[in-house]
Amino acid sequence: MPVGAFPRVDGALHAEGVPLGVIAAAVGTPCYVYSANSIRARYQQLAQAFASVPHRIHFAMKANSSLAILRLLHELGAGVDIVSGGELYRAHEAGFAGVDVVFSGVGKTAREIDAALDARVQLINIESEAELVTVAALARRRGVVAPVALRINPEVTVDTPHAYIKTGEKGQKFGIPRDDVERIGALIHELPNVALRGLGMHLGSQIANADPMREALPRLLQAIAVMRAQGHELQCMDVGGGLAVPYAPGDPEADVDEYARLVRDAVSASGLSLVLEPGRFIVAESGVLLTEVLYRKHAAGKDFVVTDAAMNDLMRPALYQAYHGIVPINITEGTVIADVVGPVCESGDFYAKQRELPDVQAGALLAVLTTGAYGYTMASNYNSRTRPAEVLVDADRFAVITERERYEDLVRLERAHLQWRTA
Ligand code: LLP
């Protein structure tokens, strides 16, 4: 965790200079809390690692798309990597211009492609021949030339902690199979409304080991050579995101220096500029989820800690059996081995199983760690639970950046009295 993001001062956990207990009292729980300086530090760490080559960090905003976080990254000079029309809308609201945007994703709709063309995004990452043809047709209708990159599937084996976050292996839905790149490159010459500006890849998420990148980069360079031989004037290569952060004690940390060295060498060899799409690395360790213990319970020989946060607020444990550290806000004597569970009516609604924890009682506040990425963005309203608030801390100040949803918000788009239509 970046130094100083969540320090313990006189026994009380803080976010930078603000006691988390103060935030919980002011805003309520559950509530995500982010450290602005931690996000800045992570961004700068990457920017420095790549300072010697032309590059741009396009934050993968699926990891955290709150407007204030996006605005903070915009101020630092980041661009964004988007995967939907909704993300394009958010990016625009946060101040990003079209040139700041690369558009990824395996199933872009015509409406989304039109919006991206209107916004003059810098790059549309193409994932299939059919998508290429669609982009060409929509660009033609608008009388524009769409700048595209081909996302190739480098077909390398990736060791991610969960199968759901692998993407760069053979047989996945992502990217263009290596064998098809040459044919699709030739096809682009027949489509005057698309210009091939780059080649890209994304190997997967939560990758701590540099080997997959070491294996994939030559394949990307080879595809770049093939495209150049076809006469395409490339400008950039995109290596995607995927840098790992540690969640559990003993988890390996991505070796940023080694990763950067490999990528910088490839960028220099290519003579292109570099696009990076990190999400998790920038924000994961910069956020915690604050929750209050509602009850302690003992059943069938087991101890349970029931919290007011649930799987709808943070999906990762239920969806990926992901580990998140859980610590009390105030130092607590004694320990207990317990399941930490939420109020949702599903046995998958747990944050930890048989975890040794401080012996916290009802009313205690807990911080669920490393939840700045894929936390709030994956939250839902399941069980008609309102999504939590989000708070940004900057040194000794804090601000609510997303209000807690209200019950009215839950039914805002619904109609109980129907206006029937007939065919
Ligand atoms: N670029 C592309 C094309 C991606 O698909 C992704 C993530 C990224 C960049 C950013 O990857 P990152 O640097 O954050 O690893 N919900 C899962 C993670 C899914 C990642 C999907 N793609 C989780 O909570 O672990």
Side-chain angles (χ1 to χ4, degrees), residues 11 14 27 72 80 142 160 175 189 277 279 308 325 330 416:
H14 286 51
V27 178
L72 188 156
V80 279
R142 289 184 135 58
T160 58
H189 281 312
E277 301 173 358
D308 66 357
N330 295 307

Side-chain angles (χ1 to χ4, degrees), residues 58 60 62-63 81 83 104-105 125 127 151 164-165 167 174 201-202 204-207 238 240-244 247 277-282 316 319-320 322 373-375 378:
H58 287 261
K62 62 168 81 69
D81 168 51
V83 287
S104 303
N125 283 342
E127 298 235 6
R151 173 172 172 188
Y164 288 3
I165 53 182
T167 48
F174 302 99
M201 60 184 188
H202 170 72
S205 202
Q206 189 57 4
I207 305 175
D238 180 346
L243 278 170
Y247 284 89
E277 301 173 358
R280 188 190 317 265
F281 180 79
I282 304 229
R316 301 191 75 261
L319 194 55
Y320 313 119
Y374 307 107
M378 292 175 74

Side-chain angles (χ1 to χ4, degrees), residues 151-158 167-170 174-178 200-203 212 215-217 219-220:
R151 173 172 172 188
I152 65 162
N153 183 342
E155 294 160 18
V156 296
T157 307
V158 181
T167 48
E169 286 191 5
K170 198 167 183 154
F174 302 99
I176 293 171
R178 286 203 294 152
M201 60 184 188
H202 170 72
L203 302 181
E215 211 182 321
L217 282 168
R219 298 182 178 186
L220 186 63

Side-chain angles (χ1 to χ4, degrees), residues 227-240:
M227 292 299 101
R228 280 183 162 149
Q230 288 186 350
H232 293 291
E233 286 177 25
L234 304 181
Q235 292 167 350
C236 62
M237 56 177 267
D238 180 346
V239 295

